[in-house]
Amino acid sequence: MSGLLTLFCRHTSASLLIQENAAPAVRRDMEKFFDGLAPEGAGLYEHDDEGLDDMPAHLKTALTQVQISVPVMDGKLMLGTWQGIYLFEHREHPSQREIVLHLVGI
Amino acid sequence: MSGLLTLFCRHTSASLLIQENAAPAVRRDMEKFFDGLAPEGAGLYEHDDEGLDDMPAHLKTALTQVQISVPVMDGKLMLGTWQGIYLFEHREHPSQREIVLHLVGI
Amino acid sequence: MSGLLTLFCRHTSASLLIQENAAPAVRRDMEKFFDGLAPEGAGLYEHDDEGLDDMPAHLKTALTQVQISVPVMDGKLMLGTWQGIYLFEHREHPSQREIVLHLVGI
């Protein structure tokens, strides 16, 4: 089976990320970086309907991706050795998330 | 009809964004955030052929996407409840923009 | 031949970028901007296994894309006039890079 697998995240406060799958420190640095780039804070944003983490979550989603397509060859995702696919949750109290998968191929 | 719809923005100073489709404040905060991240200013960038908003527009495009693929099921885009697809214009005096659509499916 | 070409970068410290293909100053400003956004520095990040440019490279990859799909019509990529596809290298001493191509179409 060869083709293309598309992952689509149906949310505006969580996103998809292909990143280092070995050192957990990368994920901690990643979260810290995005927290600094799109910080929480009273009065920082006009939109805060769902709390202080509401608008930062939208911004982090915009800065990353909600869709990633990965080629498939002989039934295997063609990820690099160090690549893992992550759901990047941006809310402090997340609910369940939905990812749609689409596969084209033969 | 089910498949995958790809949107491709043929520009380097406008991009595509899937974001919150309800509260207009999200879009205002979004623009303000990107204006702060890639600010305009005399002497800030080497490239200013088309004015002070030239290079910031390229940077905002690089930070978001020019291509998004969305799965289609039974003739409907599989967007989440709160997701809308936006053209994110980064120039102050934009001209007409072109988006190429590609659909694969049956 | 018409269809969709997908480029997939198999790395976590290099990424793909569609950007201005004319003025070289755009590429210099682009690099400078991302260097400022995700700076190198001793003690800035927990993860520095491969040197000071290790974590900044992961961050720049997360902020851009490892996958881009471009529609193809009559054998030609449907890029805009000013669009070029770049491999955005984020390491100072890069090794060889692999890009997987997937084409669907007729």
Side-chain angles (χ1 to χ4, degrees):
Chain A
M1 200 280 145
S2 293
L4 187 73
L5 179 70
T6 297
L7 297 89
F8 183 83
C9 175
R10 305 183 75 205
H11 304 276
T12 60
S13 56
S15 52
L16 298 170
L17 203 58
I18 288 189
Q19 264 300 323
E20 231 263 21
N21 58 11
V26 172
R27 298 202 286 281
R28 288 191 291 267
D29 280 331
M30 189 71 57
E31 288 206 31
K32 206 171 144 191
F33 172 80
F34 279 96
D35 286 348
L37 197 56
E40 294 184 18
L44 276 183
Y45 311 102
E46 184 184 346
H47 178 79
D48 57 4
D49 296 359
E50 299 189 8
L52 293 181
D53 64 337
D54 190 347
M55 195 60 215
H58 292 313
L59 297 174
K60 292 169 188 174
T61 301
L63 288 166
T64 51
Q65 285 93 51
V66 294
Q67 171 263 318
I68 294 176
S69 297
V70 186
V72 178
M73 206 152 79
D74 300 332
K76 276 185 57 180
L77 288 175
M78 292 297 287
L79 294 171
T81 309
W82 303 104
Q83 288 183 319
I85 303 177
Y86 294 95
L87 175 73
F88 198 173
E89 174 59 60
H90 304 305
R91 297 303 305 269
E92 274 162 40
H93 302 290
S95 47
Q96 200 173 318
R97 300 301 195 173
E98 287 181 12
I99 309 293
V100 180
L101 301 186
H102 176 270
L103 180 67
V104 60
I106 48 167
Chain B
M1 199 281 144
S2 293
L4 187 73
L5 179 70
T6 297
L7 298 89
F8 183 82
C9 175
R10 304 184 76 206
H11 304 275
T12 59
S13 56
S15 52
L16 298 170
L17 203 57
I18 289 189
Q19 264 300 323
E20 232 262 23
N21 58 10
V26 172
R27 297 202 286 281
R28 287 191 292 267
D29 280 331
M30 189 72 58
E31 287 206 31
K32 206 171 145 191
F33 173 79
F34 279 97
D35 286 348
L37 196 56
E40 294 184 17
L44 276 183
Y45 312 102
E46 185 184 345
H47 178 78
D48 56 5
D49 296 358
E50 299 188 9
L52 293 181
D53 65 335
D54 190 348
M55 196 60 215
H58 291 313
L59 297 174
K60 292 169 188 173
T61 302
L63 289 166
T64 51
Q65 285 92 52
V66 294
Q67 171 263 317
I68 293 175
S69 296
V70 186
V72 178
M73 207 152 78
D74 300 333
K76 277 184 58 180
L77 288 175
M78 292 297 287
L79 294 170
T81 311
W82 303 103
Q83 288 184 318
I85 302 178
Y86 294 95
L87 175 72
F88 198 174
E89 175 58 60
H90 303 304
R91 298 302 305 270
E92 275 162 39
H93 303 289
S95 48
Q96 200 173 319
R97 300 301 194 172
E98 287 181 12
I99 309 293
V100 180
L101 302 186
H102 175 270
L103 181 67
V104 59
I106 49 167
Chain C
M1 199 280 142
S2 293
L4 187 73
L5 179 70
T6 297
L7 298 89
F8 183 83
C9 175
R10 304 183 77 205
H11 304 276
T12 59
S13 56
S15 52
L16 298 170
L17 202 57
I18 288 189
Q19 263 300 324
E20 232 262 22
N21 58 11
V26 171
R27 298 202 285 281
R28 287 191 293 267
D29 280 332
M30 189 71 58
E31 286 207 32
K32 206 171 144 190
F33 173 80
F34 278 96
D35 285 348
L37 197 56
E40 294 184 17
L44 276 183
Y45 311 102
E46 184 184 345
H47 178 78
D48 56 5
D49 296 359
E50 299 189 8
L52 293 181
D53 65 336
D54 190 348
M55 196 60 215
H58 291 314
L59 297 174
K60 292 170 188 175
T61 302
L63 289 166
T64 51
Q65 284 93 50
V66 294
Q67 171 264 318
I68 293 176
S69 296
V70 186
V72 178
M73 206 152 80
D74 300 334
K76 277 184 57 180
L77 287 174
M78 292 297 288
L79 294 170
T81 310
W82 302 104
Q83 287 183 319
I85 303 178
Y86 294 95
L87 175 72
F88 198 172
E89 174 59 59
H90 304 305
R91 297 303 304 269
E92 275 162 40
H93 302 290
S95 48
Q96 201 173 317
R97 299 301 194 173
E98 288 180 12
I99 309 293
V100 179
L101 302 186
H102 176 270
L103 181 66
V104 59
I106 48 166

